[in-house]
Amino acid sequence: MNKLKVAIALGSTCSGCDVAILDLNEKILNLVEVADIVYWPTAMDFKIKDLEAFKSGDIDVGIYHGTVRTSTHEHTAHLLRERSKAVLSFGACAYFGGIPGLCNLSTKNEVFRTVYQDTASTVNPDFVTPQTEVKVGKFDLTLPELKDEGKALRDVIDVDYYLPGCPPTVMLREKLIPILKLVQGGELPPKGTVIASDKTLCDECEMKKENKSISKIVRTHEMIPTPGICLLEQGLICMGPATRGGCGTPCIKALVPCRGCMGPTAEVKDQGAKMISAIASILGVSEEKDLSAEDVAKLIDGIKDPVGTFYRFTLPVALINKKVGVK
Amino acid sequence: MKKVTIDPITRLEGEAKIDIFLNDEGDVADAFFQVTELRGFEKFCQGRPVEELPRIVPRICGV
């Protein structure tokens, strides 16, 4: 059987997804059994010209990780789509925008202002910011354009398959190899397949759930959670009810509440809204009749950073997904 | 003037390129290392609760 040609391209990323692929450890041998890596700049010396050199459909599976933020990322994404038979969106950034997608909380100009002027270690009295074209002495230099917003891959190109997580945990990554074997045999999974569970994280979480009401929100540094008991019931915001399962709950097993890097389940459009709904149905519910409007406001004030908590990984695909600047 | 471009620089986290300009003799006239992206952690870490930052800033570099 012919080996698959697999390309791994990237956008705005920490490259933790590249490391996640390498972290297959000895199972990477199973990967190279079915696939030849024909493009992977993080791990090998490939240039964008190498990706450009492929003909349409030359690549069997194009894997893309990272948020789409610059003109280069857009070019890479379109190129990968055109050259690949199937495109797999790998990790939270490509799927939902991820943590770099939190850039959508500010306008580009506000980001430039902070990064290139206001930060304590910056000395830049003329407020010089990156330009797409600049002349330095007699030399013409160019940079990619930084876009006004970070985007999920599927909002830029047509995507066939998804593998969520930040980074995808080992039990998810290992599922990739049998799927590639199917593709090698000409058996493509249905378009839109998400390589993860279809249920919520709470469905697979082993913590004991008993109370349907919590009396207040507790911040993570304010308590040492009791092992074995649902973290949300202990007052910690845990994104489990609004998050897709399949990761194996490594954070929760370490008593660290979920932040939702697997994104929502298929039937949920907006992960943050789902979580707000989940919190609203348990916070202060048992004593609800005795609470004044002021008490309720105080309870809600216990949530210190709603947007950064509920939309930690999914802001660019949320219903309200970016700050629009005042001209 | 001839220009040699290395784009992207590989086997690292982050994105950058190098432009090397050669003079008529073929010697290096000047070379520029350019960082080609910005994510802006400096901005979006503002407003996040401090106890959450250990779960945000590891995504600066995951290598």
Side-chain angles (χ1 to χ4, degrees), chain A residues 28-208:
Chain A
I28 200 152
L29 296 173
N30 303 10
L31 176 67
V32 294
E33 232 169 61
V34 289
D36 278 328
I37 310 274
V38 295
Y39 182 78
W40 192 5
T42 309
M44 290 177 267
D45 196 24
F46 289 109
K47 305 299 175 197
I48 191 74
K49 276 182 190 150
D50 297 315
L51 189 58
E52 284 164 348
F54 286 104
K55 290 188 190 73
S56 176
D58 259 359
I59 297 162
D60 293 297
V61 182
I63 298 175
Y64 185 101
H65 64 84
T67 319
V68 183
R69 183 82 192 281
T70 69
S71 52
T72 297
H73 301 154
E74 279 186 358
H75 174 64
T76 307
H78 286 294
L79 203 56
L80 189 73
R81 176 67 273 180
E82 207 276 324
R83 303 295 197 260
S84 308
K85 291 189 187 87
V87 169
L88 168 71
S89 164
F90 191 94
C93 292
Y95 199 168
F96 326 108
I99 284 187
L102 289 174
C103 66
N104 290 9
L105 291 171
S106 318
T107 64
K108 186 165 95 175
N109 201 39
E110 286 168 344
V111 174
F112 277 4
R113 193 59 70 182
T114 298
V115 174
Y116 297 112
Q117 192 165 63
D118 296 344
T119 39
S121 58
T122 303
V123 180
N124 183 10
D126 298 329
F127 189 41
V128 176
T129 58
Q131 306 296 318
T132 51
E133 288 173 17
V134 69
K135 212 171 175 70
V136 178
K138 53 187 173 175
F139 306 106
D140 293 312
L141 302 177
T142 58
L143 281 178
E145 184 198 355
L146 188 77
K147 301 286 179 181
D148 286 326
E149 61 182 301
K151 283 184 179 172
L153 184 65
R154 61 187 148 138
D155 289 332
V156 178
I157 60 163
D158 188 39
V159 173
D160 299 292
Y161 310 118
Y162 302 91
L163 182 70
C166 183
T169 56
V170 74
M171 62 188 286
L172 286 175
R173 281 156 11 216
E174 285 177 358
K175 287 184 180 176
L176 197 56
I177 296 162
I179 288 173
L180 286 176
K181 277 190 179 150
L182 285 178
V183 174
Q184 193 187 20
E187 222 179 300
L188 289 165
K191 196 179 164 85
T193 295
V194 179
I195 305 168
S197 168
D198 292 327
K199 295 181 173 167
T200 68
L201 197 67
C202 289
D203 280 314
E204 72 177 48
C205 181
E206 289 161 8
M207 306 291 251
K208 218 157 127 197

Side-chain angles (χ1 to χ4, degrees), chain A residues 11-14 41-43 45-47 69 73 105-106 114 139 142 166 219-220 256-257 259 305 312, chain B residues 1 6-8 10-11 13 15 17 21 30 34 36-39 43 46 48-49 51-52 55 59 62:
Chain A
S12 201
T13 180
C14 72
T42 309
D45 196 24
F46 289 109
K47 305 299 175 197
R69 183 82 192 281
H73 301 154
L105 291 171
S106 318
T114 298
F139 306 106
T142 58
C166 183
R219 293 169 70 173
T220 48
V256 175
R259 284 294 170 263
D305 177 27
R312 173 75 53 87
Chain B
M1 187 171 281
I6 303 169
D7 183 22
T10 53
R11 290 157 292 184
E13 185 287 315
E15 292 167 53
K17 65 170 176 170
F21 292 90
D30 215 336
Q34 298 154 86
T36 54
E37 71 154 353
L38 165 74
R39 282 171 293 164
K43 185 68 190 171
Q46 293 176 355
R48 309 283 79 76
E51 72 272 18
E52 292 293 322
R55 305 190 73 185
R59 274 73 175 205

Side-chain angles (χ1 to χ4, degrees), chain B residues 3 7 13 16-19 24-28 30 33-34 42-45 47 49-50 55 58 60 62-63:
Chain B
K3 183 170 84 166
D7 183 22
E13 185 287 315
K17 65 170 176 170
I18 294 172
D19 280 334
D24 296 340
E25 287 76 48
D27 296 328
V28 174
D30 215 336
F33 168 84
Q34 298 154 86
E42 298 93 325
K43 185 68 190 171
F44 64 67
C45 284
V50 70
R55 305 190 73 185
I60 291 173
V63 174

